[in-house]
Amino acid sequence: RGKEIMDTEYYRNFMAMVDAGNMTNAAEYLHITQPTLSKQLQLLEKRFETKLVVVARGRRRLHLTEAGEIFYQRAKEICALEDLADDEMATATQEVRGTLRFSISPGRSPRFIQRVLAGFHKEYPHVRFELKEGITSVQQEDLLAGETDLGVCHTMFAPPEQFEFLFTSAESLTVVGAKDLLRQVPKQGASFADLRGMAIAASGSAAAILRQEIGDVQTLFQLVAVCTTKASALAWARTENIAALIPAEAEEEFWPGLDSRRLSGIMLKKAIVRPRNRPLSHTAQVFLHYYASVLAAEKKAEETAASALANAVSTSVRESV
């Protein structure tokens, strides 16, 4: 039977509708009217001669039918192939354009945007970004399903048989809180024992380390909350009487008025990761080359700063003598 060929925009809008859970939210996200989105759904169901979604009575939330589940998965694959074709055509014409999609935790997004993506956008203005923020398990699912291209996550939660670690950097388990709260915690060489009796809100990854290193953490300090994200744990730190326990980079800064202490010997590794089951797009390869140049520039700046400090100390010593 001959069937009408549908525009893949319908497929993308259908996925957005399913992800949003209802037409109202999807229409707002897509900046189209709800009747337009409803008409597209009707055309898709007419095209496949079956219902794709149902709405529970008395509720506005959409649910996929069995056929809808199949179509949703295939739509993702079709759209991913279209994106790849666009990217490969851009490669053929030596243009860097298209969409670069990242899986990342909410707590890492601001620094990643400021440190890396803003500069990349300035150099390659035709590249659009999608940042899917979520917990590590969701990040991995999106990467393996082809919904995102690259991830920024802890290596301890990414199975090496499924992911390749492209760049790694160290993070320390860090306690963040009001200055008065951390006054008794040593600025250098702090340990879990130095947090004894303290009220703590831990991020998900920090909580996993606590369970591994301590077991029953309540015997050492009061674990007030375990938060899905680092950002939520840091929000507790602003309440003045609760400290956040999170992974953080050495140069990471926090809200004004908050102090921090890095726990000695508790290190994690953060990485840019890619799924092994899918080749990298040209745009992703260009990004990784750019990211490597950012790391090189940062390392050079650190070495220059360290050399300047050493020279200043040496000069001061000579003058004092």
Side-chain angles (χ1 to χ4, degrees):
R1 291 175 298 171
K3 289 182 180 287
E4 179 186 357
I5 298 176
M6 306 297 294
D7 190 325
T8 53
E9 180 185 357
Y10 286 25
Y11 292 17
R12 296 180 189 274
N13 290 353
F14 177 81
M15 291 189 296
M17 179 182 63
V18 173
D19 293 340
N22 61 61
M23 287 196 180
T24 302
N25 291 343
E28 291 177 359
Y29 172 77
L30 294 167
H31 302 294
I32 62 176
T33 65
Q34 189 171 333
T36 298
L37 192 58
S38 179
K39 180 64 174 178
Q40 290 182 5
L41 175 61
Q42 292 174 14
L43 290 173
L44 285 171
E45 292 181 332
K46 181 180 178 181
R47 162 72 171 78
F48 295 107
E49 300 177 355
T50 186
K51 292 288 291 182
L52 299 176
V53 299
V54 294
V55 181
R57 179 169 297 185
R59 299 180 181 179
R60 297 169 58 195
R61 187 163 186 84
L62 300 170
H63 296 279
L64 290 171
T65 63
E66 184 177 352
E69 289 277 4
I70 295 172
F71 177 66
Y72 178 73
Q73 295 301 322
R74 294 294 176 260
K76 288 198 294 186
E77 294 171 5
I78 291 169
C79 292
L81 284 172
E82 182 181 56
D83 291 339
L84 181 60
D86 287 342
D87 187 79
E88 289 176 345
M89 291 302 295
T91 303
T93 59
Q94 299 302 307
E95 285 187 302
V96 180
R97 60 173 61 245
T99 301
L100 194 53
R101 304 164 301 167
F102 293 92
S103 287
I104 190 169
S105 68
R108 287 197 172 94
S109 293
R111 177 170 167 76
F112 188 62
I113 292 168
Q114 296 162 12
R115 175 174 164 249
V116 183
L117 295 189
F120 185 80
H121 172 67
K122 186 175 182 180
E123 191 161 339
Y124 301 101
H126 297 299
V127 175
R128 188 167 64 89
F129 305 98
E130 290 183 6
L131 272 66
K132 292 198 68 175
E133 299 174 312
I135 61 176
T136 302
S137 60
V138 174
Q139 292 174 30
Q140 293 183 14
E141 290 174 4
D142 288 341
L143 284 163
L144 293 174
E147 294 189 17
T148 51
D149 306 302
L150 296 168
V152 185
C153 65
H154 285 124
T155 58
M156 66 180 292
F157 299 118
E161 67 274 11
Q162 293 179 306
F163 298 97
E164 180 182 357
F165 306 140
L166 302 171
F167 299 96
T168 59
S169 57
E171 290 186 325
S172 302
L173 199 59
T174 304
V175 60
V176 181
K179 292 182 178 180
D180 287 343
L181 187 63
L182 301 187
R183 192 178 301 278
Q184 302 303 317
V185 181
K187 291 188 176 181
Q188 302 292 334
S191 67
F192 285 128
D194 295 309
L195 310 183
R196 188 176 302 278
M198 190 176 294
I200 296 289
S203 68
S205 54
I209 294 172
L210 288 176
R211 288 191 293 268
Q212 179 179 328
E213 297 288 331
I214 300 177
D216 184 7
V217 299
Q218 301 293 359
T219 61
L220 185 63
F221 46 73
Q222 181 186 359
L223 188 60
V224 174
V226 175
C227 305
T228 302
T229 67
K230 177 175 168 179
S232 296
L234 282 170
W236 282 97
R238 302 183 74 181
T239 63
E240 296 186 358
N241 59 345
I242 297 174
L245 193 63
I246 60 170
E249 297 178 49
E251 67 278 13
E252 194 163 340
E253 297 180 352
F254 307 103
W255 282 300
L258 294 182
D259 208 350
S260 65
R261 302 285 191 274
R262 305 188 188 281
L263 302 187
S264 177
I266 310 297
M267 302 297 295
L268 302 90
K269 286 187 176 180
K270 178 190 71 175
I272 299 289
V273 304
R274 56 162 292 191
R276 293 184 182 275
N277 65 352
R278 199 173 64 259
L280 281 173
S281 67
H282 172 66
T283 302
Q285 293 177 42
V286 172
F287 170 80
L288 292 174
H289 180 76
Y290 175 85
Y291 188 80
S293 70
V294 170
L295 294 181
E298 290 177 344
K299 183 177 181 181
K300 184 176 181 180
E302 289 173 3
E303 291 173 347
T304 301
S307 177
L309 179 60
N311 290 336
V313 170
S314 177
T315 300
S316 177
V317 170
R318 288 198 303 271
E319 289 177 350
S320 65
V321 172

